[in-house]
Amino acid sequence: MSHFRKSLLLSASSLILGALAAQAAPSGTLRIGVGAEPVTFDPSFNTLPVGNAVNLLVMDGLFEVDAESQIVPNLATDWGFSEDGMTFWVTVETGRTFSNGKPLDAEAIAASFNRMLDPELNSTYLGLYETLGEAVAVGEDRVEFHMTEPNGHVMMLLANTAASIVDAEAAGEMGAEFGRTPVGSGAYVVDEVIGGERFVLVPNESYDGDEPATLERIEFMAVPEDGSRMALIETGELDIVERVPPEAIETIDALGDAHVINPASMFSINMELVMRGPLEDPKVREALNLSIDREGIIQGILGGLGTPSVGMPGPGTQEELRVTYDPIPFDPDRAKALLEEAGYGEGELTLQMTCPSGRYIKDAQVCQALAGSWQAIGIDAQPLVKDIGSWSQTINEPPENRTDNMGMVGRATAGMDFTLYRLFYTGVGANRTGFSDARVDELLTEGRGTTDTDAQKEIYGEVQQIVWEEQPFVFLWYQTQALGVGDDVQNLAVRPDETLLLDRVTIASDS
């Protein structure tokens, strides 16, 4: 895929390796064990890193985010703003096709964006992207976005996998099946999906780009249970496993034919609070935050695979705009006092907490530990540990439909606007806490309207300050990535948001 191709321009030696890989015929099967299976591959609805990895292989975008969280062009060859800043135009490569043979021209690209921007589709990302307005094809190779308001972060929006180009006509004809076997123009296609078991990618035989598939087959196996996933790499049945638990690191490193890697991570793990009832009271939210022994849980349960949060956006989100604070202290006595001030005695406050099993490192155990922390200050905390599908359905419900009080969610998105706008602007799709603050809305709108870095620092600094003080989340920690990788896997890269970049991967054997 093109994010590597563009980066390779910076390195002559890497360019040679990339060219050789691109010329070789696809060879070998790569087998990957994932803890969570995507509900859909439709980029308008996918929210999981493993879905991002598939989207990057099956679809192209105008731009992409590389392994260093930098924006690089993919289909785009030139781009810019109109003088009034209300139109963003992109010139694209010509002569490409979708996997079904239909042309990938400006009209098809505009149709893909307008599908995502159609309120009737109800994309998860509609609120975040709607300032793009309307995409218009101009000739075969130019797409214009006639925006509803200025947006200095439009390239980050276009680089996210939510903006992957799909055959919108096929999506309309295929209905729900499109989420299983989407039609894009990437080097691979989804060949097989067995829900709850595995999904398989094979080379796109009609691919006409300059970076064809390197592998004959990529198998993703859904194995939520940590021990089972680790056993499969220990026996050589898998080549890559994600989210290695701390107790398995030494075992994998000792195998002799596999090892554990710790790529950079921006994953911010939090309990996102549904801001109604008792959680509307800031004293209750502060009590929840003060009663967590973050360092103790990190060392005792996560085996050190995390660092306590010092702000909502994780490291690497956009460092020049990121603000950090002192870690929240562990002060259960102060937490009890705050609950009493809020009018809650021992056992008078009941809170239900939704957690996944297999999505984050030791998530189910962490859920129990958090419940224990809150029970220790007199809250009737009820952990609801769910399978990935049920958890995803719950946390993606609008806050007015939620029957629980909070959900464990990890966030990892490049770009400060992308991260903060979708979580804290009133009413947008990923704002599942119901958080609403007029000043934050004003600042986020203002931040989109400027490209001045000094102004952005001030704007996004104030947003982060308000969020840190208002505590719509119980801020927990930044997760450290840990993947088990077979020694025969070459050229694997991993983005800080846990997305595997597999486009250049080769495998020495198919054992």
Side-chain angles (χ1 to χ4, degrees):
M1 303 294 283
S2 295
H3 48 79
F4 267 116
R5 173 168 53 80
K6 306 300 180 182
S7 298
L8 290 174
L9 294 174
L10 303 175
S11 169
S13 59
S14 295
L15 177 62
I16 294 170
L17 290 173
L20 290 173
Q23 292 169 1
S27 176
T29 296
L30 180 69
R31 300 154 301 183
I32 304 171
V34 299
E37 179 186 23
V39 176
T40 176
F41 299 125
D42 187 333
S44 287
F45 298 96
N46 165 61
T47 59
L48 294 181
V50 66
N52 294 343
V54 171
N55 288 165
L56 288 168
L57 295 170
V58 173
M59 305 160 195
D60 285 296
L62 297 176
F63 303 91
E64 292 178 356
V65 177
D66 70 8
E68 285 74 43
S69 296
Q70 300 300 306
I71 299 171
V72 294
N74 183 352
L75 294 174
T77 58
D78 198 9
W79 55 90
F81 283 97
S82 63
E83 288 189 6
D84 66 0
M86 294 299 293
T87 297
F88 186 79
W89 57 268
V90 182
T91 302
V92 300
E93 294 180 12
T94 58
R96 300 282 301 278
T97 61
F98 290 109
S99 59
N100 59 10
K102 294 180 182 176
L104 177 64
D105 53 16
E107 183 177 353
I109 293 171
S112 178
F113 278 100
N114 289 330
R115 170 183 181 264
M116 192 253 278
L117 294 167
D118 184 350
E120 290 191 6
L121 183 67
N122 196 27
S123 164
T124 302
Y125 299 94
L126 176 61
L128 187 63
Y129 280 80
E130 61 185 353
T131 60
L132 291 179
E134 181 184 13
V136 177
V138 180
E140 292 187 359
D141 67 345
R142 179 178 170 117
V143 178
E144 295 182 350
F145 296 91
H146 296 174
M147 298 188 293
T148 60
E149 58 185 66
N151 190 331
H153 305 268
V154 64
M155 286 184 65
M156 181 56 75
L157 290 177
L158 299 180
N160 191 279
T161 51
S164 299
I165 309 300
V166 302
D167 180 357
E169 186 174 272
E173 293 170 351
M174 294 169 66
E177 177 58 24
F178 186 80
R180 292 163 51 89
T181 55
V183 178
S185 58
Y188 292 85
V189 295
V190 179
D191 180 60
E192 180 183 32
V193 178
I194 300 177
E197 183 177 331
R198 69 177 184 270
F199 46 97
V200 178
L201 274 59
V202 298
N204 172 8
E205 294 182 355
S206 64
Y207 180 75
D208 48 11
D210 54 3
E211 292 190 40
T214 57
L215 296 159
E216 286 183 304
R217 186 176 173 91
I218 304 175
E219 297 181 0
F220 293 83
M221 185 178 294
V223 190
E225 203 279 315
D226 287 347
S228 300
R229 200 165 61 252
M230 298 310 112
L232 290 171
I233 193 169
E234 291 172 20
T235 58
E237 294 176 72
L238 291 175
D239 303 299
I240 299 172
V241 290
E242 62 177 11
R243 281 189 291 287
V244 176
E247 67 272 15
I249 292 176
E250 186 175 351
T251 300
I252 292 176
D253 281 338
L255 289 175
D257 58 358
H259 58 285
V260 175
I261 62 172
N262 298 111
S265 173
M266 60 173 63
F267 241 80
S268 177
I269 307 292
N270 305 291
M271 294 298 292
E272 300 189 358
L273 308 179
V274 182
M275 303 275 281
R276 65 160 186 269
L279 297 183
E280 289 182 304
D281 190 332
K283 292 180 179 177
V284 176
R285 301 198 298 271
E286 185 178 359
L288 294 175
N289 269 287
L290 286 170
S291 55
I292 304 301
D293 180 4
R294 292 166 179 77
E295 192 62 47
I297 294 177
I298 288 170
Q299 297 305 323
I301 297 178
L302 302 183
L305 295 176
T307 55
S309 295
V310 290
M312 186 272 137
T317 299
Q318 193 171 359
E319 286 302 313
E320 67 272 23
L321 301 180
R322 182 170 175 252
V323 180
T324 59
Y325 309 91
D326 292 335
I328 298 172
F330 174 45
D331 191 346
D333 291 337
R334 175 61 182 155
K336 286 182 181 178
L338 285 168
L339 285 180
E340 290 177 3
E341 291 176 23
Y344 296 104
E346 180 79 22
E348 293 181 348
L349 175 60
T350 298
L351 296 175
Q352 293 187 327
M353 39 198 293
T354 298
C355 303
S357 178
R359 174 65 188 91
Y360 310 113
I361 296 174
K362 299 287 186 182
D363 42 21
Q365 294 92 327
V366 165
C367 196
Q368 297 293 341
L370 294 176
S373 298
W374 291 326
Q375 289 161 1
I377 62 170
I379 295 174
D380 178 17
Q382 301 177 359
L384 307 173
V385 178
K386 299 184 177 182
D387 62 77
I388 297 300
S390 300
W391 162 79
S392 179
Q393 184 175 3
T394 298
I395 65 166
N396 284 309
E397 284 283 346
E400 60 270 21
N401 294 345
R402 294 275 292 268
T403 58
D404 60 341
N405 301 102
M406 66 184 80
M408 180 187 293
V409 184
R411 302 290 185 178
T413 47
M416 197 57 72
D417 170 75
F418 197 104
T419 298
L420 296 177
Y421 193 97
R422 75 186 194 127
L423 295 179
F424 302 113
Y425 192 88
T426 299
V428 297
N431 180 350
R432 293 312 193 194
T433 65
F435 179 85
S436 179
D437 184 291
R439 179 59 179 161
V440 168
D441 288 351
E442 178 185 4
L443 288 164
L444 290 173
T445 301
E446 188 178 345
R448 289 194 148 190
T450 181
T451 57
D452 183 273
T453 303
D454 290 337
Q456 289 181 350
K457 284 182 179 177
E458 186 172 339
I459 291 166
Y460 290 111
E462 186 176 346
V463 172
Q464 291 171 80
Q465 180 77 36
I466 293 172
V467 168
W468 190 248
E469 291 176 351
E470 289 295 316
Q471 299 183 338
F473 295 176
V474 175
F475 303 105
L476 295 176
W477 42 75
Y478 309 126
Q479 180 171 282
T480 300
Q481 293 195 73
L483 296 95
V485 182
D487 291 345
D488 53 356
V489 177
Q490 305 294 319
N491 303 321
L492 171 68
V494 186
R495 287 197 326 209
D497 66 355
E498 289 191 345
T499 297
L500 301 176
L501 302 180
L502 304 169
D503 48 312
R504 281 192 61 223
V505 167
T506 58
I507 194 159
S509 69
D510 194 14
S511 59

